[in-house]
Structures are given as C-alpha cells and as structure tokens.
Amino acid sequence: MRTVRTVSEHRALVAALLPPTPVEVVPLGEALGRILAENLVTSTALPPFDNSAMDGYAVRADDVARAGGDHPVRLPVAQDIPAGRTDVVALRPGTAHRIMTGAPLPAGADAVVRVEDTDGGTGTVRVDVAVPAGNHIRRVGEDAALGALALPAGTLLGPAQLGLAAAVGSATVAVRRRPKVLVLSTGTELVAPGQPLRHGQIYESNGPMLAAAVTEAGGVAELLRFVPDDVDQFLAALAERVAAAGEVDLLLTSGGVSAGAYEVVKDALADRGVRFVRVAMQPGGPQGAGRLTGLGPTGDGPAVVTLPGNPVSSQVSFEVFVRPALRAAMGHPHPDRAVVLARLGESLRSPSDKRQFRRGELDARTGTVRTVGGPGSHLLSALARADCLIELAPSAQPHEAGTLVNVWLLDR
C-alpha cells in the first residue's frame, strides 16, 4: 500500500486491463445501445425505387403545364396506386394515376400533383395548378445509394441508427460483445436487504449499486454475495464462481482493500496478480488492479479491479476508473462522462495532495454548481441526490466561490 498513483495513472492501468471485446452479430432488436463494430453498407438503395412524396396524382408535367387560375386541366384517372403495389401500370399521355405517399411512381410519369391542388376526383381529376417535372418525387437512392456507407464502425446504435439499418435491409449488425463483470462484495457484517439486522450488521448496498452501474455502462453484471472475511473461503468461493460463470472480462470487488486487519481481498489477491496501491484522490484512495493468476487448475483468470468498501468511495471509484474502461472496451465513441465547466457557488477546501470529487448539483441556468452533503465517503444519500461530481484539483488554498471547475455530469 505504499505506492501512490495519480488518478490518470490508475485510469490508464485499469483501461489497459480491458482490451476491446470480441465482435458478435446480433439481431437489430438486441442492438440498442451497442457499438457498431464493422461498417454497415447498404444492401439496397434508400429509397429503393422512385416514389411519391405526397398523396395526389402522378402525371406528365407537360399535360398540366397550362393549369392554373380559371383554366384547370381535367384528366381521366386510369389507375390507383396505393403504397405497396408491385404491378404498377405505366402512365399513358393525357391521363393521371391516383397515387399515395410512398407508392411507386409509374413509368411515364415525371411529377406528382398534391391532392390539395385538385378536386380529388376518382374517375376524372381536375388539376388546378401547373407543376414542374420532378415535383414531389423521391428518387431512388436519394437518401442512400446502393453499396454506400450507411453507418461507420464505432457508431452508437440508437433508435434512428437501428431504423436506418432496417431500412437498408440489415436484419443483424456486428457489435462489440458486452463485457461480463462479476461483482463481489465482502464482509461478514453484510446482510441482504430485506433481512433482519442484528447489532453490528449493515445492509449490503455496494453489490446492487455496482451491478447497476455496470449495466448502465453497457456491461453484463453478475452479482455474487456474500463472501466472509476469510481468505481460504474467499478464494474457494471465487474459484468456484469464476469457473461457473464461464467467460468473464472483469472481477469487480468492493471492500477489503485498506491497510487494517481483516482486509480479505488484499490478503487473498496480493500474491495472485493484483497490485494494491493508494491513489491520490478523495474519496477512494485505496485501490487495486491486475490480472488474476494462480486460481484453480486453469491458472490465469480475468482482469481484477478492487474498490474501497465505503459506498461513496466505491461508486466514485467506479465512475473514475471502471466505467470509462468498460465503455472503451465496447468501442464506445464517448467512454467518459460529459464534463462541463461551471463556477463554484460556494468556497470549498480540498486536500493539498489529493484530487477530490464532491457530490454536486448543477444549475444549468446560471452555470453554477454547489455541493450536496459533505465529503464523507459514507454519505450515500447525498450521492443519490447529486446530478454531478465536482472535480477539485489538489490545493493548499480554498477554492473560492466563482472559481471555474470541471463538473462530471452523471446523467450523460
């Protein structure tokens, strides 16, 4: 525990433990929020055929060129063309086809007259305005040509992107696999929520909190509970769970990493590939990271990140170190939280040798930020009310009200 790292150094170490996850092909219905791993090229033009942009009448522009004012043009309506019709008959000169939005444009037609510019006739239509060639026509490939790049690799797949993928004929997409994370909380004092508490016991909150954080970041979390403060039992349970879970990208623990007695995670993993250090930050100084070795007959295991046990320390550490690494492993174009500059609404002190992360509330209207609760690492209710983290650089002097600071937005 004597080594001290900067926040940047520990972020880089954790990120290096999680290389890009393998590529897998999934149906569009399972791709929301995933990251496209390969360029998506159109297998059909968009639109795939010339079609009408309006409900109206397909005509030859020359046939209605004299329409207007007190001199409408009347044309016989030879065909109805609803959207989806596949046996479209060519338009003869001097006639019109009633056509619906999205329906294929008949051969011979070069314009569409809006129904609002006619009498809406079905046998014969009165056209009240002249229209130019190309009027209200969507041309084939106008949105995306056949073989064009629809979505580049690295695209975050939201509703619009999945809609485009479907529109160009893709039923599946290639994405980075979601990282699988085993979340483990240690401590004989922990009791599952909903069970009766005895004096000296507390409800276990870190596991559900970190598992939810993994899911929110895009990973797949499996919550393991509970492991007592005994090294042999801890290692036996860990070997069993890692083997049962199959392919695991990260073992994420909370608790048992400080300098005191009964620090089971540190005692069990210090000789098995995990290095324990102090990071110059508050909260969340005691940290550990590495790749698990010597566990069971298979030898090497997953990447390991060990977080402090105090709830706020644990969650802030996840935000600073683990969340960006998980998202980067999935190829996310924006792995970090959005950071904005805001002015402190109060004077704050931070340690002279540590980077501090305070819970805060941002007033976007005034561009000011104020703390929620104190700096204590056990004040979880304050974190639950916060919408941001206020990053304070180490300083021997107070950060005066009005000072510009970095603010991490927890909702982006």
Side-chain angles (χ1 to χ4, degrees):
M1 299 293 292
R2 293 178 180 175
T3 301
V4 178
R5 290 191 185 128
T6 66
V7 170
S8 296
E9 288 169 343
H10 198 65
R11 275 170 62 93
L13 187 146
V14 172
L17 289 172
L18 291 168
T21 55
V23 175
E24 62 181 3
V25 176
V26 300
L28 294 185
E30 299 175 12
L32 181 64
R34 307 288 289 275
I35 309 302
L36 193 63
E38 300 172 357
N39 289 341
L40 179 64
V41 176
T42 60
S43 59
T44 184
L46 186 64
F49 49 83
D50 291 348
N51 67 86
S52 177
M54 292 284 178
D55 292 341
Y57 296 84
V59 298
R60 295 172 183 259
D62 286 347
D63 288 341
V64 296
R66 294 181 176 82
D70 296 330
H71 303 284
V73 171
R74 288 179 170 82
L75 298 171
V77 178
Q79 293 283 330
D80 266 357
I81 311 177
R85 182 170 175 178
T86 58
D87 58 339
V88 178
V89 178
L91 179 73
R92 299 193 310 273
T95 66
H97 288 181
R98 192 167 66 153
I99 193 168
M100 303 300 118
T101 302
L105 190 73
D110 62 4
V112 172
V113 181
R114 298 186 311 161
V115 68
E116 293 90 341
D117 295 324
T118 72
D119 66 351
T122 56
T124 300
V125 62
R126 186 191 74 227
V127 179
D128 297 326
V129 298
V131 295
N135 194 60
H136 298 314
I137 294 174
R138 301 167 178 159
R139 294 299 183 186
V140 60
E142 180 180 303
D143 192 6
L146 175 64
L149 177 63
L151 296 169
T155 297
L156 174 63
L157 296 174
Q161 291 74 27
L162 293 175
L164 176 58
V168 299
S170 295
T172 61
V173 285
V175 295
R176 292 282 174 192
R177 178 176 56 74
R178 298 183 189 271
K180 185 171 184 180
V181 182
L182 299 185
V183 179
L184 174 62
S185 294
T186 63
T188 53
E189 77 279 15
L190 301 178
V191 175
Q195 301 300 312
L197 283 179
R198 298 172 59 188
H199 184 69
Q201 295 180 325
I202 59 172
Y203 286 124
E204 200 273 314
S205 60
N206 285 1
M209 178 173 63
L210 292 173
V214 168
T215 302
E216 188 271 338
V220 177
E222 181 177 338
L223 181 58
L224 311 179
R225 56 168 136 192
F226 297 100
V227 178
D229 289 331
D230 178 88
V231 170
D232 291 337
Q233 292 184 54
F234 175 87
L235 288 172
L238 186 58
E240 179 182 352
R241 293 301 183 91
V242 168
E247 191 170 21
V248 175
D249 297 288
L250 176 65
L251 171 65
L252 184 64
T253 72
S254 64
V257 297
S258 295
Y262 304 106
E263 303 296 346
V264 63
V265 174
K266 178 166 63 70
D267 293 341
L269 302 183
D271 294 329
R272 290 176 173 81
V274 180
R275 188 176 182 190
F276 294 88
V277 299
R278 294 199 71 85
V279 175
M281 66 181 283
Q282 185 188 63
Q287 301 283 341
R291 186 161 295 280
L292 195 59
T293 61
L295 187 70
T298 58
D300 293 350
V304 179
V305 175
T306 67
L307 306 179
N310 279 322
V312 175
S313 297
S314 193
Q315 183 61 22
V316 169
S317 297
F318 181 90
E319 288 287 338
V320 175
F321 303 120
V322 183
R323 185 180 190 273
L326 288 175
R327 286 161 66 87
M330 290 184 290
H332 202 289
H334 305 291
D336 295 320
R337 290 286 191 189
V339 177
V340 299
L341 284 174
R343 295 193 181 276
L344 287 176
E346 60 195 302
S347 178
L348 295 175
R349 285 190 173 275
S350 65
S352 62
D353 59 346
K354 296 182 179 70
R355 187 165 298 275
Q356 189 179 58
F357 294 89
R358 297 285 295 271
R359 288 131 280 180
E361 287 181 327
L362 177 66
D363 186 335
R365 181 179 59 85
T366 63
T368 59
V369 64
R370 302 185 70 89
T371 57
V372 178
S377 58
H378 63 294
L379 301 176
L380 184 57
S381 62
L383 181 60
R385 298 195 306 273
D387 59 20
C388 63
L389 294 177
I390 305 169
E391 182 180 356
L392 299 176
S395 177
Q397 302 300 320
H399 299 270
E400 300 294 348
T403 301
L404 281 172
V405 294
N406 284 334
V407 175
W408 296 32
L409 305 181
L410 295 179
D411 58 352
R412 299 186 198 174

